[in-house]
Amino acid sequence: QVQLVESGGGLVQAGGSLRLSCAASGRTSSSYAMGWVRQAPGKERELVAAIGWNGMITYYTNSVKGRFTISRDNAKNTVYLQMISLKPEDTALYYCATDRRIWRTDITNMGAADFGSWGQGTQVTVSS
């Protein structure tokens, strides 16, 4: 019922930056945690970052800590992922996703399986 559309992906050299955006429409609610999940060929889907309903609590997988920043603007129904110092291993299809539950507080314990509605993804390719 919720539609998520990602944008901002592209081809960038190692060390570069990209800003991903996720526009939500339809049955949306600021009470849901949001996240970015990526999947590279031959690898399982990985929760890269998550942000709580109030935008204060965040989670990052270890490999992106200090390089990626997730944020949200509930008034605009938009979630962002700012990525800097990109590495070739960051190459993947990045999905925006909505939590299956509302008012979640255990953001730091979330995984990819906690998310229900998904976007179609935006490709991020980092060259050496």
Side-chain angles (χ1 to χ4, degrees):
Q1 197 67 28
V2 61
Q3 293 80 47
L4 304 173
V5 180
E6 302 94 335
S7 62
L11 176 63
V12 64
Q13 292 185 331
S17 64
L18 287 172
R19 181 180 174 87
L20 306 184
S21 297
C22 171
S25 61
R27 188 177 298 176
T28 62
S29 175
S30 61
S31 61
Y32 290 95
M34 300 292 294
W36 287 93
V37 181
R38 68 185 180 187
Q39 185 169 31
K43 298 182 180 180
E44 295 185 347
R45 290 186 174 184
E46 174 188 33
L47 178 63
V48 176
I51 186 167
W53 56 270
N54 66 355
M56 297 300 295
I57 303 174
T58 57
Y59 160 85
Y60 300 96
T61 192
N62 286 336
S63 63
V64 308
K65 288 181 178 178
R67 300 189 298 117
F68 290 12
T69 302
I70 187 171
S71 61
R72 67 189 298 169
D73 186 337
N74 289 339
K76 297 181 178 179
N77 292 320
T78 304
V79 183
Y80 306 95
L81 185 67
Q82 180 67 53
M83 306 182 293
I84 64 172
S85 301
L86 283 163
K87 304 175 180 179
E89 49 263 46
D90 293 319
T91 296
L93 186 63
Y94 284 71
Y95 299 92
C96 175
T98 302
D99 191 3
R100 296 178 183 273
R101 302 288 184 268
I102 62 173
W103 308 120
R104 186 187 295 272
T105 59
D106 59 332
I107 305 300
T108 59
N109 294 322
M110 296 186 73
D114 292 312
F115 295 89
S117 297
W118 293 60
Q120 294 303 118
T122 185
Q123 179 67 38
V124 172
T125 302
V126 185
S127 62
S128 300

